[in-house]
Amino acid sequence: KAGVTQTPRYLIKTRGQQVTLSCSPISGHRSVSWYQQTPGQGLQFLFEYFSETQRNKGNFPGRFSGRQFSNSRSEMNVSTLELGDSALYLCASSLEAGARGDTQYFGPGTRLTVL
Amino acid sequence: AQRVTQPEKLLSVFKGAPVELKCNYSYSGSPELFWYVQYSRQRLQLLLRHISRESIKGFTADLNKGETSFHLKKPFAQEEDSAMYYCALQGANTGFQKLVFGTGTRLLVSP
């Protein structure tokens, strides 16, 4: 089975712009989660989608949003980019939401640099 | 609040030495605990989880609810164990798909 894929792998934007990142989960996985990884804050949960519905949200401003499509693929969008949004954005998929101990499989990440 | 603490940023050992990566957590209830590993230029991947009580690549971790700890241990470190290790928890209080990560410990195994 192919693993979780994320596109693009690298992205450079300037302050004020917006960006859309894409994630394709493992075939058959219905839950997609997003994380932000920075040297200062580490790995922080952004949000989780299951069956096209956002089921959980982390403590991030409304500039961060996402969605999930009927084929379980997910996108996250960041509007009005700030320098502090520079980070590695990781996507993870799992079979289903709410399953105790369900393993999450991570993608390689999208490295976003905001200038 | 749910929190995971990994007190060591860097742990440096020699090949063949025992390794213990510390992890303490704060959670009301019964969380699921995990260790994730990230090798150089590779994606984050699950190493082991307490619910499985398994040993992966010689690593084990025991959940100590009294001390709220989930330390990762290996009796004899290998050079290929050099990587970034993250302890994480999830549970009903956070939503089962939300992983709360510690800040990570870099393990460096020297020959």
Side-chain angles (χ1 to χ4, degrees):
Chain A
K1 261 187 185 176
V4 177
T5 58
Q6 293 186 245
T7 56
R9 294 293 310 279
Y10 302 92
L11 208 47
I12 299 175
K13 293 285 187 179
T14 56
R15 279 180 299 175
Q17 287 187 309
Q18 75 161 10
V19 66
T20 299
L21 312 181
S22 181
C23 171
S24 292
I26 292 172
S27 178
H29 284 194
R30 299 168 66 192
S31 172
V32 174
S33 299
W34 289 89
Y35 293 83
Q36 181 195 64
Q37 186 176 25
T38 59
Q41 300 297 319
L43 282 150
Q44 291 188 291
F45 174 81
L46 280 155
F47 27 63
E48 184 253 340
Y49 287 87
F50 179 78
S51 291
E52 303 178 63
T53 301
Q54 186 182 91
R55 294 177 63 93
N56 205 346
K57 190 178 191 314
N59 192 24
F60 278 82
R63 298 185 297 106
F64 291 82
S65 63
R67 59 177 175 169
Q68 187 181 34
F69 303 94
S70 58
N71 61 357
S72 294
R73 190 177 70 84
S74 178
E75 290 181 346
M76 68 163 281
N77 185 78
V78 188
S79 62
T80 320
L81 283 166
E82 300 178 359
L83 295 179
D85 297 333
S86 294
L88 181 67
Y89 290 89
L90 296 175
C91 167
S93 77
S94 60
L95 272 173
E96 56 186 275
R100 194 175 181 91
D102 200 13
T103 299
Q104 294 195 37
Y105 297 85
F106 283 82
T110 294
R111 171 78 59 189
L112 172 64
T113 302
V114 182
L115 303 175
Chain B
Q2 299 82 26
R3 189 168 60 247
V4 176
T5 302
Q6 293 180 252
E8 303 137 329
K9 280 191 173 181
L10 172 67
L11 186 61
S12 186
V13 302
F14 288 106
K15 178 182 172 181
V19 168
E20 182 179 49
L21 297 158
K22 290 184 168 44
C23 171
N24 289 89
Y25 67 89
S26 172
Y27 186 86
S28 298
S30 297
E32 300 297 330
L33 274 297
F34 303 82
W35 276 98
Y36 278 82
V37 61
Q38 191 166 30
Y39 300 102
S40 179
R41 297 190 188 87
Q42 293 188 29
R43 61 185 68 190
L44 194 63
Q45 58 186 287
L46 178 67
L47 180 62
L48 55 79
R49 50 185 172 175
H50 94 270
I51 196 172
S52 301
R53 292 189 159 272
E54 56 199 347
S55 173
I56 303 293
K57 299 184 179 182
F59 285 97
T60 59
D62 289 319
L63 178 60
N64 186 322
K65 292 185 178 180
E67 295 182 359
T68 59
S69 67
F70 188 56
H71 303 326
L72 183 68
K73 300 177 183 178
K74 185 170 183 176
F76 307 103
Q78 303 298 316
E79 290 179 66
E80 55 265 31
D81 295 330
S82 295
M84 195 74 182
Y85 291 80
Y86 295 94
C87 182
L89 69 77
Q90 67 176 200
N93 293 356
T94 62
F96 273 116
Q97 297 312 99
K98 175 184 175 182
L99 284 165
V100 177
F101 285 92
T103 50
T105 297
R106 182 169 297 283
L107 175 63
L108 183 61
V109 183
S110 304

